[in-house]
Amino acid sequence: MTNRHANWERLTMVIKWANMTVNSFARHIGLVRAENLYHIKKGNYGISEDLADRIIAYFPQIDRTWLLSGIGNMLTTNSAESERLPFFSGDIAGIMPVVGTLGAQGEIQLPYITGSHLVVRSTSQAMNETLSAATDLILREVGVHEVIQGNEYVLLFGDRVEWRRVRYVARDSNKCRLVARNRDEHADIFINRADVTRAWRVVARIAILES
C-alpha cells in the first residue's frame, strides 16, 4: 500500500470511529468544506500537522503519532481502557424525557468508546437493522446548537423523542429533517430547530439480533 493511500485509510478509520460522514467530520473539526480531506483521498496531500492538531483537539482519544505516521495504535493508551456506562432497558420514548431522574438498570462495560454518557435500548423500527429486535444506543449528550447534519441523534422536542439521522432543509435554516433508515415505511419528520430541547449524539450502536 502506498503512503498516500495509507493516509486516507487512517483518516477514514477515524471518521468511521467517530460515527460521522466525511462532510460532517470536516465541519465538526472546523473546516469550511470537506474538499481538503478529499485531496488526501486523491493523494494530493498527506495528513498535515495542522490537520492532525485539529482532529486531536476535538478527538483527544486519537493518537497523534499514529495519525501522522501509522506507527502505534489509533487510540491512546487511556482511551483503550474500558468505560462503564449506565444502561437503561426501557425504550427511548419513555426514558429520555426523564433520564436524569431515573436509576439505571445496570452498567455496560464498553472498550474503545470514550466520552459517552449512557446506553439506552431502542426498538424503533424506523432505525433498526432488518434482523434486529432492538438496538443498544451508546449516547453522548450535546448542546442543541451542536446538532449537525449527517449524524444520528436522539432528539427531544415537545413531548416527542426520535432517533433519526439529521438533515438540513434547503432554503430554511430554521428547520431540519429527521430521516429514518427504513424510509420506505417511515416518512421524514420536519421540525423547527428551536423546538429541540435536548440532544444526544449516537456515538455507536449495538444490534440485538432476534432469537
Side-chain angles (χ1 to χ4, degrees):
M1 179 183 294
T2 62
N3 187 56
R4 67 179 185 176
H5 290 151
N7 283 321
W8 177 247
E9 183 177 278
R10 291 197 304 279
L11 187 58
T12 301
M13 288 174 63
V14 174
I15 293 171
K16 288 181 177 179
W17 170 85
N19 195 30
M20 293 183 174
T21 64
V22 175
N23 289 332
S24 63
F25 182 83
R27 288 192 297 271
H28 190 77
I29 64 174
L31 297 178
V32 176
R33 54 186 182 178
E35 187 64 26
N36 293 344
L37 302 184
Y38 285 114
H39 277 302
I40 297 174
K41 182 178 182 179
K42 296 174 183 176
N44 297 334
Y45 307 112
I47 298 174
S48 67
E49 293 197 4
D50 177 67
L51 177 60
D53 288 341
R54 281 180 178 269
I55 293 172
I56 299 305
Y58 286 91
F59 301 102
Q61 304 95 325
I62 303 300
D63 185 85
R64 190 176 187 275
T65 299
W66 173 87
L67 185 60
L68 288 169
S69 67
I71 298 172
N73 300 312
M74 183 178 79
L75 299 178
T76 63
T77 301
N78 290 338
S79 297
E81 296 175 355
S82 297
E83 271 194 65
R84 301 189 69 85
L85 299 176
F87 172 71
F88 298 88
S89 61
D91 193 69
I92 58 174
I95 292 292
M96 303 316 292
V98 292
V99 68
T101 65
L102 294 176
Q105 279 73 52
E107 288 186 326
I108 291 182
Q109 189 165 346
L110 295 169
Y112 310 119
I113 300 175
T114 60
S116 303
H117 296 140
L118 69 157
V119 181
V120 178
R121 180 157 295 176
S122 172
T123 57
S124 169
Q125 296 304 307
M127 294 296 288
N128 280 340
E129 302 286 354
T130 305
L131 298 178
S132 299
T135 304
D136 285 348
L137 302 177
I138 295 89
L139 303 177
R140 175 167 63 238
E141 185 163 14
V142 298
V144 294
H145 62 283
E146 297 179 81
V147 174
I148 60 176
Q149 177 173 235
N151 291 340
E152 291 182 14
Y153 294 89
V154 173
L155 299 178
L156 175 62
F157 52 98
D159 60 354
R160 294 184 62 177
V161 177
E162 295 288 346
W163 162 33
R164 298 290 172 95
R165 185 175 296 276
V166 172
R167 299 289 187 189
Y168 296 151
V169 176
R171 298 180 296 278
D172 192 343
S173 60
N174 295 318
K175 292 184 179 294
C176 62
R177 178 163 52 99
L178 308 183
V179 180
R181 178 179 296 273
N182 183 2
R183 298 186 72 183
D184 291 337
E185 299 180 11
H186 297 271
D188 295 350
I189 300 171
F190 292 85
I191 65 172
N192 293 317
R193 299 178 68 179
D195 291 340
V196 178
T197 53
R198 294 184 75 177
W200 295 263
R201 188 167 79 81
V202 178
V203 176
R205 45 201 178 99
I206 304 170
I208 309 299
L209 299 180
E210 295 179 336
S211 57

